[in-house]
Amino acid sequence: MAQEAGAGAASQEYWQLVTMNQASGMDRSRSPKITLLEDGKEKKSESQGDGPVDATFKAIEGLAKSGAELLLYSVNAVTQGTESQGEVTVRLAKGGRIVNGVGADHDIVVASAKAYISALNKLASKVRALNPQHQL
C-alpha cells in the first residue's frame, strides 16, 4: 500500500514533513521515500528497515542525524471503525533530555513520522535556544 503525506507542520518548526511515500507488504521491501524541510531547506531520504515504521524512522534519522534514543512508541485509535484516525506517541532521549512527540493521521505510518518529527523539533528547539549555531 502506498501512502503520501502532505505538508502540515507549522512554519516555525525546524523539521517539517513535506511528502512521504511508503510501500509495505509481506513480499515488499520497506523503503520509504521522505522529503523534509530542514530549517526551510528541502532534503530527501530513503532507508530500509524491519518494517514500515522502522524504515521510516531510519529515513528521518538519515537526515536529522540526531543520535536520539527511541524510548517509547505507542499507537492509539482516536476514533472508532476501520477509517479510524491513529495517534502515535514517540519518546526520544538525548543528552539527558527526554521529549515526547505526537502525530495523528488516518495512516499509522504517516502518524508515526509526524510524531518522530514532533519530538525532533522539541529536541532542536532547546538546542537552538541554548546555542543558535549548533546543528541538531
Side-chain angles (χ1 to χ4, degrees), residues 40-102:
K41 297 176 201 136
E42 196 170 282
K43 299 201 172 190
K44 297 178 186 272
S45 180
E46 286 185 60
S47 188
Q48 299 275 331
D50 292 330
V53 173
D54 181 53
T56 297
F57 287 176
K58 286 179 179 176
I60 294 168
E61 267 300 312
L63 295 173
K65 297 177 181 33
S66 73
E69 178 185 2
L70 178 66
L71 299 179
L72 172 79
Y73 175 77
S74 174
V75 179
N76 294 299
V78 176
T79 57
Q80 294 182 353
T82 58
E83 294 185 23
S84 175
Q85 190 170 43
E87 181 180 78
V88 173
T89 302
V90 168
R91 184 171 297 145
L92 298 179
K94 181 178 180 181
R97 291 188 61 225
I98 297 174
V99 297
N100 287 335
V102 178

Side-chain angles (χ1 to χ4, degrees), residues 3-135:
Q3 340 19 272
E4 184 163 333
S11 60
Q12 73 273 14
E13 294 180 334
Y14 188 79
W15 295 101
Q16 296 177 55
L17 180 62
V18 178
T19 61
M20 179 179 152
N21 293 296
Q22 167 71 47
S24 62
M26 292 176 62
D27 60 344
R28 306 186 113 180
S29 68
R30 286 88 174 167
S31 54
K33 295 178 182 174
I34 292 179
T35 303
L36 299 178
L37 285 181
E38 177 188 9
D39 204 20
K41 297 176 201 136
E42 196 170 282
K43 299 201 172 190
K44 297 178 186 272
S45 180
E46 286 185 60
S47 188
Q48 299 275 331
D50 292 330
V53 173
D54 181 53
T56 297
F57 287 176
K58 286 179 179 176
I60 294 168
E61 267 300 312
L63 295 173
K65 297 177 181 33
S66 73
E69 178 185 2
L70 178 66
L71 299 179
L72 172 79
Y73 175 77
S74 174
V75 179
N76 294 299
V78 176
T79 57
Q80 294 182 353
T82 58
E83 294 185 23
S84 175
Q85 190 170 43
E87 181 180 78
V88 173
T89 302
V90 168
R91 184 171 297 145
L92 298 179
K94 181 178 180 181
R97 291 188 61 225
I98 297 174
V99 297
N100 287 335
V102 178
D105 199 273
H106 290 286
D107 185 306
I108 207 66
V109 181
V110 173
S112 299
K114 289 177 178 180
Y116 199 92
I117 291 167
S118 171
L120 285 177
N121 279 322
K122 289 178 182 176
L123 285 174
S125 68
K126 181 71 172 180
V127 168
R128 288 178 33 189
L130 292 175
N131 191 355
Q133 63 272 19
H134 181 70
Q135 294 290 323

